[in-house]
Amino acid sequence: MKLILGIAAIILIAAGAYASVQLNQPQSINLQTSFEYPTPLPLAPFSLTDQRGNSFSNADLQGKWSLFFIGYTSCPDVCPTTMGKLTSAYAGLNQVEDVQVIFLSVDPQRDNIDTLNNYIKFFNPEFMAVTGEHKQLFPITRSLGFVYAMVGDGDDYQVDHSASFALVSPQGEKVAIIKPKSHSPGQLPQIRNSELIHDVNALIGKYSS
């Protein structure tokens, strides 16, 4: 009888420990256009400059959620479309916690502080724009999962760049990449605002619970 009671006690203790672990684990969520990393990834150390001329580094990511995307102000299509979509989605992105939207310019030759400041003000003055020399940009863009390359010669060169977003936690770690997808055959991949808002709020809710 004592042996049976002892076994029962061990089972109950193990079950309680398992339940405790499960309760403390982030719950899985159904994402519509994003890939969540199995473990949040720390970002490479970086030091950039924002549209007001202030220093912007890893420390400025602490204590708040951040949504990064890359581009350049001379971009003829993807960037202004993305800025417009984010401006439209901004209120929805802040349903659970405040999110800072960060435009990471990878064209430092043309995107000086005044250019970035005017660009951000045109779309949404609450957004941030940051840039730096290429040697400063390469580590943080790679760390965020972005790529870019200059195409063409002379002053009219273009910049090929990723069209994804990266969601960064208040601990300064990359939690997810939000990717364009095609919704029907022959359609260009895109990130729908409804899916972006759903995924960002679901991820923030998961890590904030």
Side-chain angles (χ1 to χ4, degrees):
M1 185 65 177
K2 290 182 178 179
L3 178 59
I4 293 174
L5 290 174
I7 292 172
I10 292 171
I11 292 173
L12 287 172
I13 292 171
Y18 177 79
S20 175
V21 169
Q22 291 300 306
L23 287 172
N24 286 304
Q25 288 289 332
Q27 300 302 304
S28 61
I29 52 178
N30 182 28
L31 298 175
Q32 298 178 358
T33 190
S34 306
F35 171 78
E36 179 187 4
Y37 294 95
T39 302
L41 304 173
L43 297 182
F46 66 88
S47 179
L48 303 172
T49 303
D50 70 16
Q51 78 268 28
R52 300 177 186 89
N54 299 320
S55 174
F56 187 86
S57 68
N58 302 74
D60 295 287
L61 304 178
Q62 297 297 311
K64 64 194 78 173
W65 286 90
S66 302
L67 187 67
F68 277 91
F69 70 105
I70 71 169
Y72 62 115
T73 64
S74 301
C75 177
D77 40 37
V78 175
C79 297
T81 299
T82 300
M83 290 290 287
K85 287 170 67 72
L86 283 170
T87 296
S88 176
Y90 189 54
L93 295 173
N94 288 272
Q95 291 176 9
V96 180
E97 291 190 25
D98 290 342
V99 175
Q100 63 175 354
V101 175
I102 303 169
F103 172 61
L104 176 56
S105 169
V106 288
D107 187 11
Q109 181 176 331
R110 293 180 293 197
D111 287 350
N112 57 36
I113 291 172
D114 290 337
T115 301
L116 289 176
N117 197 29
N118 290 332
Y119 193 73
I120 290 298
K121 284 182 177 179
F122 178 79
F123 288 100
N124 190 329
E126 294 188 40
F127 290 178
M128 296 194 65
V130 297
T131 194
E133 297 301 317
H134 291 297
K135 64 182 179 181
Q136 299 169 302
L137 290 168
F138 286 142
I140 182 59
T141 53
R142 285 197 300 266
S143 189
L144 287 167
F146 299 148
V147 294
Y148 73 94
M150 281 26 193
V151 179
D153 299 316
D155 294 335
D156 295 328
Y157 63 87
Q158 302 288 310
V159 185
D160 285 348
H161 58 87
S162 302
S164 301
F165 302 141
L167 184 64
V168 176
S169 74
Q171 290 73 44
E173 297 175 324
K174 182 173 60 173
V175 169
I177 194 83
I178 300 162
K179 305 178 293 183
K181 70 175 185 180
S182 180
H183 294 84
S184 61
Q187 183 186 55
L188 289 174
Q190 61 175 311
I191 299 173
R192 288 181 173 173
N193 272 6
S194 59
E195 296 175 341
L196 169 66
I197 291 169
H198 171 275
D199 286 5
V200 167
N201 283 294
L203 287 160
I204 292 175
K206 171 180 175 177
Y207 286 90
S208 300
S209 60

